[in-house]
Amino acid sequence: MKLEFEAFKAWVGSHLDSEVIGKRRSAFTCPLANFLKQDLSAFDEKIVVGIARYGTDTKSVELPAWAFAFRREIDFAGVAQSDVTAKAALKILREIPAGATVAR
């Protein structure tokens, strides 16, 4: 379970522009969590993406800087629990360099 910029961007890009890929301010259904869930479909563990960390009930690690920036932008771009479309996510991803460093 690893968050890689190019893999996430490709996953987002594989959806139609209008397709909902997650919810804002949702640790369990944000776009990052939904991306990570695809690798754990055979497991019962829940994926959680917090403000600065992501993982399961048994293990968590720090979000990469690009994912932290993405999460921040997505969460503050609309109302809590509102839909995030692939188009909106790609717009934000295009503004974040893969090797981004972000002050936390």
Side-chain angles (χ1 to χ4, degrees):
M1 172 183 54
K2 189 171 181 184
L3 275 175
E4 295 179 354
F5 181 80
E6 292 301 327
F8 179 68
K9 190 174 179 181
W11 177 79
V12 172
S14 73
H15 294 82
L16 298 173
D17 283 352
S18 60
E19 192 173 347
V20 174
I21 60 167
K23 301 277 186 188
R24 285 180 174 79
R25 299 185 205 167
S26 172
F28 299 105
T29 60
C30 70
L32 293 168
N34 288 338
F35 168 73
L36 290 166
K37 283 179 199 173
Q38 70 184 350
D39 290 335
L40 294 179
S41 60
F43 300 97
D44 289 333
E45 292 187 279
K46 288 186 175 131
I47 295 289
V48 177
V49 178
I51 295 168
R53 298 185 69 79
Y54 74 99
T56 65
D57 294 336
T58 58
K59 178 183 177 187
S60 73
V61 294
E62 190 171 297
L63 280 172
W66 69 264
F68 178 83
F70 175 80
R71 177 76 196 258
R72 183 184 60 209
E73 292 300 316
I74 283 291
D75 283 354
F76 293 105
V79 177
Q81 299 297 317
S82 62
D83 294 341
V84 177
T85 62
K87 182 178 181 178
L90 279 174
K91 181 180 180 205
I92 290 170
L93 286 172
R94 287 186 189 114
E95 298 170 2
I96 299 172
T101 57
V102 177
R104 296 178 189 221

